[in-house]
Every structure is written in structure tokens, then in C-alpha cells.
Amino acid sequence: MTEQQIKLICQRAVLAFVNHFERKPTKAEQAALVSCLTRIALEPNAPTTELH
């Protein structure tokens, strides 16, 4: 995945956040979104911390 693709995914995630919560994410929320999405993009097979 390219850096441009990661940026586009992050932008879309922020837009989805705005559409769902009807507000802009705080800086902390935005940082968390970008961090999670970047990790997923760079390590798609990394183990998750969620219980399934």
C-alpha cells in the first residue's frame, strides 16, 4: 500500500467519523484513527488486540 493510499483511507475514515458523530474528531481521536489505520495498512496480518 502506498503512502497516498494510506492518506486517502485516513481522510475517508475522518469523513465517516464526521458523518456518524456529526462533529469533527478531536486531535486525540484523529490521531487514534490515523494510528490504527496506518498500522493496519502497514501490517495487515498483525494480531489484533480485540477478543473475538
Side-chain angles (χ1 to χ4, degrees):
M1 192 170 291
T2 67
E3 183 178 339
Q4 184 62 30
Q5 288 172 317
I6 294 169
K7 285 181 183 178
L8 185 59
I9 291 167
C10 291
Q11 288 172 349
R12 289 180 178 172
V14 171
L15 285 174
F17 182 99
V18 171
N19 287 336
H20 181 76
F21 294 105
E22 298 181 347
R23 66 175 177 84
K24 292 183 352 183
T26 64
K27 288 191 183 259
E29 290 167 334
Q30 189 170 357
L33 282 170
V34 171
S35 175
C36 291
L37 293 168
T38 301
R39 179 173 178 243
I40 290 168
L42 296 176
E43 299 179 57
N45 296 323
T48 182
T49 57
E50 287 184 30
L51 297 174
H52 294 274

